[in-house]
Amino acid sequence: MTAPPYPETQAVDIPFVIGSRRIASVRRQLVPASFTLEDILEQRAGPIDAVPAGGADGLRVMSAPVDRLDSIREKFAGYVMGGYAEYPRHFIRMDGSFEDYLAGFSGKTRSTLRRKQRKLEQELGGTLDIREYTDPDRIERFFDIAVPLSRRTYQARLLDAGLPESPAARRKTAEKAAAGDMRCYLLFAGEDPIAYLSLPVENRTLVYAHLGYDPDWARLSPGTVLQMVALERLFAENRFSYFDFTEGDGAHKAMFGTDSVRCASFYLLRPSLANRSLLWSLTAFDNAVAATKATAERIGAVSAARRILRA
């Protein structure tokens, strides 16, 4: 069977990062190859069945299941792998009711979530104003309202992960909305948006694309509250099998997820001298950052122990 064609090559900035801050980056022309959650859970071949042709420097592989890494390396023998990051890919199984989902939390966690919602409701006058956007016209309105908020969030300022603003991205979102495959939400304080959630739909899966909130409201956890209310509505649709938190770990994802699968993201570059040097430098930089962090944590632990002993 012929492998599906790759998407077009994209200019990708390979970053050198300390914490959440990008220190430098090097651009390469890469083919994006991202495994969907359904690819993994249903044992599909996934997006990298063949080596890309043309002038691409290589691939940016996202969320590949670690149990398939040997076959990927074999297929791309001679390519150089780098920028490797392994993590649990959290997701929610949505085959039950919202009440079933809540029952999976510990009593303490359920109490904490209810308390967060009550505190925010009290601050907002007793009710939550959460508006849903699904059709193309309302999706345009969602972006008009949410993009200015997104620019203020730490996701945009520090992680370069704010809402997409390009005309092409907005057209694609409108097309998905026209097909019934977008779920977007805004939480308001009066007429001011304070949190947003954007969820494209892929087959039977909701994709956790963008969540952000006004930093001035961070103490009241508006993103967490919006997430819970949106999930209740989404379970009620009885359409979806999974809610995919995509690549990367995090406390928010771990708390809301019901399951996880071990995945990895990495670069596969053609074995030129420049590409080898780039990935060697990236690995050395990441190792140095990790060693510095570990040393700082050890020093902090020793200092804390000494303070306890002196007390």
Side-chain angles (χ1 to χ4, degrees):
M1 182 173 65
T2 303
Y6 280 102
E8 293 183 3
T9 299
Q10 299 175 355
V12 175
D13 291 323
I14 299 177
F16 290 69
V17 176
I18 297 179
S20 58
R21 296 188 178 276
R22 179 179 297 194
I23 305 304
S25 62
V26 178
R27 179 161 292 186
R28 288 290 185 270
Q29 297 295 321
L30 303 180
V31 173
S34 181
F35 283 80
T36 70
L37 184 63
E38 291 179 35
D39 286 338
I40 297 170
L41 298 181
E42 299 177 9
Q43 295 294 310
R44 298 176 186 168
I48 51 175
D49 271 354
V51 175
D57 293 299
L59 296 94
R60 174 55 167 149
V61 181
M62 303 295 288
S63 294
V66 295
D67 60 7
R68 299 193 205 174
L69 292 184
D70 287 344
S71 64
I72 292 173
R73 289 191 181 99
E74 182 179 349
K75 189 177 295 293
F76 289 86
Y79 274 59
V80 185
M81 178 185 287
Y84 184 89
E86 189 173 318
Y87 47 83
R89 180 174 180 168
H90 298 283
F91 64 96
I92 300 169
R93 292 189 185 273
M94 300 182 70
D95 48 359
S97 67
F98 183 65
E99 289 71 24
D100 295 332
Y101 171 66
L102 288 180
F105 290 108
S106 69
K108 181 179 179 181
T109 299
R110 288 196 299 272
S111 177
T112 298
L113 291 170
R114 285 194 296 266
R115 185 174 66 253
K116 288 178 183 293
Q117 184 165 335
R118 284 197 304 269
K119 287 180 66 175
L120 185 56
E121 286 173 343
Q122 291 168 2
E123 188 78 15
L124 297 176
T127 59
L128 297 176
D129 180 6
I130 294 177
R131 307 175 196 178
E132 186 172 333
Y133 303 78
T134 57
D135 62 72
D137 290 339
R138 286 184 60 76
I139 288 293
E140 280 297 311
R141 180 62 177 154
F142 168 82
F143 275 94
D144 290 341
I145 297 171
V147 163
L149 170 59
S150 171
R151 292 172 183 162
R152 299 185 58 229
T153 65
Y154 87 91
Q155 289 91 345
R157 290 185 293 104
L158 299 181
L159 305 179
D160 194 26
L163 283 168
E165 299 186 33
S166 70
R170 292 183 68 157
R171 281 195 303 271
K172 182 177 180 181
T173 302
E175 289 169 0
K176 289 191 70 65
D181 288 336
M182 284 298 303
R183 299 292 183 274
C184 296
Y185 302 88
L186 281 168
L187 169 61
F188 286 84
E191 290 303 312
D192 297 322
I194 61 172
Y196 62 84
L197 177 62
S198 173
L199 305 169
V201 179
E202 299 292 344
N203 297 319
R204 295 173 289 112
T205 301
L206 290 151
V207 179
Y208 181 78
H210 299 94
L211 172 72
Y213 54 84
D214 188 328
D216 294 340
W217 288 79
R219 63 184 178 84
L220 291 170
S221 306
T224 297
V225 174
L226 178 59
Q227 174 89 60
M228 284 301 293
V229 175
L231 280 171
E232 184 172 12
R233 297 183 184 183
L234 293 163
F235 268 96
E237 288 193 42
N238 199 30
R239 169 185 169 184
F240 309 108
S241 297
Y242 309 108
F243 186 109
D244 178 18
F245 285 103
T246 69
E247 63 274 355
D249 197 5
H252 180 92
K253 298 178 179 183
M255 180 178 72
F256 281 104
T258 61
D259 299 83
S260 66
V261 59
R262 203 75 192 169
C263 288
S265 296
F266 47 89
Y267 302 99
L268 285 170
L269 302 187
R270 297 184 187 278
S272 68
L273 178 60
N275 287 339
R276 289 182 182 276
S277 298
L278 169 59
L279 293 184
W280 181 90
S281 299
L282 181 62
T283 299
F285 179 86
D286 288 345
N287 288 342
V289 170
T292 301
K293 180 181 178 181
T295 299
E297 290 174 348
R298 286 196 297 270
I299 292 171
V302 170
S303 298
R306 287 174 176 170
R307 288 195 298 271
I308 292 171
L309 291 173
R310 287 196 299 267

